[in-house]
């Protein structure tokens, strides 16, 4: 099964947005879960720990992900900053998706506020990677079902199944992963961001250490 070729994220004009007092009252302190449930173009403020460093999903974008407890969300742009694992951030912006993909925040302000241990990945069955897990770190283990497909320049894709149903593993070029050791029939444990592309859900590893042969 070949992957659908990735496409660059749509260009969005992002500037400093001054929310009205009513909007600020609604958005200030809004949790990640609140943001995930908000309608598109709703102004929000989210806080969390960086779970995916900025640039990991390049060349698709220069975004990053944050997580707070059991919920996470993607931030579609880093605004020129380098965001690292374990940094705590406060992000304001508007919610929206990209080509029907991961629902997240298009930021107009990103503030690093400190550091915190990265929230652990949730062990999951491959068949359970879906909308409910989207945005957080997950860990799956199963058999590689096909040869790794080179979806240049965006990355590489293959499918993993533990008997509960296949999930897609998409490794972005920005993750800097060597995929030469991944072959059909091998068993791997994959840690990564629970994401979505078009009509399917996937796990996106962040680095070589997220891909372990078993």
């Amino acid at each position: 099964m070949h992957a659908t070729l990735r496409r660059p994220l749509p260009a969005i004009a992002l500037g400093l947005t001054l929310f009205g007092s009513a909007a600020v009252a609604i958005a200030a302190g809004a949790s990640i879960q609140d943001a995930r449930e908000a309608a598109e173009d709703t102004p929000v403020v989210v806080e969390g720990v960086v779970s995916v460093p900025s640039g990991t999903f390049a060349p698709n974008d220069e975004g990053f992900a944050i997580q707070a407890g059991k919920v996470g969300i993607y931030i579609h742009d880093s605004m020129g900053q380098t965001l690292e694992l374990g940094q705590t951030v406060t992000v304001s912006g508007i919610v929206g998706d990209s080509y029907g993909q991961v629902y997240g925040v298009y930021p107009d302000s990103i503030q690093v506020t400190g550091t915190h241990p990265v929230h652990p990945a949730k062990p999951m069955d491959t068949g359970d990677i879906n909308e409910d897990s989207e945005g957080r770190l997950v860990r799956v283990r199963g058999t590689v079902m096909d040869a790794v497909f080179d979806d240049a320049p965006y990355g590489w894709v293959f499918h993993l199944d533990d008997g509960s149903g296949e999930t897609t593993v998409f490794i972005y070029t920005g993750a800097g992963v060597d995929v030469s050791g991944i072959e059909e029939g091998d068993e791997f444990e994959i840690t990564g961001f629970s994401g979505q592309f078009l009509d399917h859900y996937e796990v996106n590893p962040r680095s070589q250490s997220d891909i372990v042969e078993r």
Side-chain angles (χ1 to χ4, degrees):
M1 177 179 177
H2 286 186
T4 303
L5 292 180
R6 304 273 146 164
R7 293 291 184 268
L9 295 178
I12 290 187
L14 294 175
L16 180 62
T17 301
L18 298 178
F19 301 140
S21 58
V24 170
I26 294 172
S31 69
I32 291 175
Q33 188 62 44
D34 289 338
R36 294 191 59 82
E37 295 173 355
E40 284 195 67
D41 299 326
T42 299
V44 296
V45 176
V46 292
E47 297 177 309
V49 182
V50 174
S51 56
V52 177
S54 57
T56 300
F57 296 161
N60 222 44
D61 64 31
E62 292 296 326
F64 62 102
I66 62 173
Q67 187 167 326
K70 298 179 180 180
V71 293
I73 197 164
Y74 195 67
I75 312 300
H76 290 294
D77 186 58
S78 61
M79 301 184 69
Q81 297 189 50
T82 299
L83 285 309
E84 300 177 352
L85 283 176
Q87 288 182 318
T88 56
V89 297
T90 300
V91 179
S92 65
I94 59 172
V95 292
D97 61 16
S98 57
Y99 290 101
Q101 302 172 50
V102 170
Y103 206 57
V105 177
Y106 286 97
D108 56 52
S109 173
I110 301 170
Q111 181 181 5
V112 177
T113 57
T115 60
H116 188 281
V118 177
H119 295 285
K122 180 183 180 181
M124 296 191 67
D125 293 338
T126 55
D128 289 339
I129 301 300
N130 55 32
E131 192 73 28
D132 291 336
S133 63
E134 184 181 297
R136 67 168 299 166
L137 293 178
V138 297
R139 179 175 293 115
V140 292
R141 179 173 176 172
T143 302
V144 178
M145 303 304 293
D146 48 10
V148 176
F149 175 70
D150 185 352
D151 193 10
Y154 302 103
W156 300 267
V157 63
F158 61 93
H159 297 85
L160 203 71
D161 195 346
D162 61 6
S164 64
E166 287 188 3
T167 194
T168 300
V169 177
F170 194 93
I171 306 169
Y172 284 93
T173 304
V177 171
D178 178 3
V179 300
S180 61
I182 303 173
E183 297 183 357
E184 184 176 356
D186 290 344
E187 185 170 341
F188 274 85
E189 182 177 85
I190 307 291
T191 301
F193 179 79
S194 179
Q196 181 180 355
F197 180 69
L198 299 179
D199 61 351
H200 64 268
Y201 298 97
E202 58 188 30
V203 178
N204 306 124
R206 302 160 296 173
S207 66
Q208 195 75 48
S209 62
D210 278 345
I211 301 173
V212 180
E213 187 169 9
R214 296 301 188 186

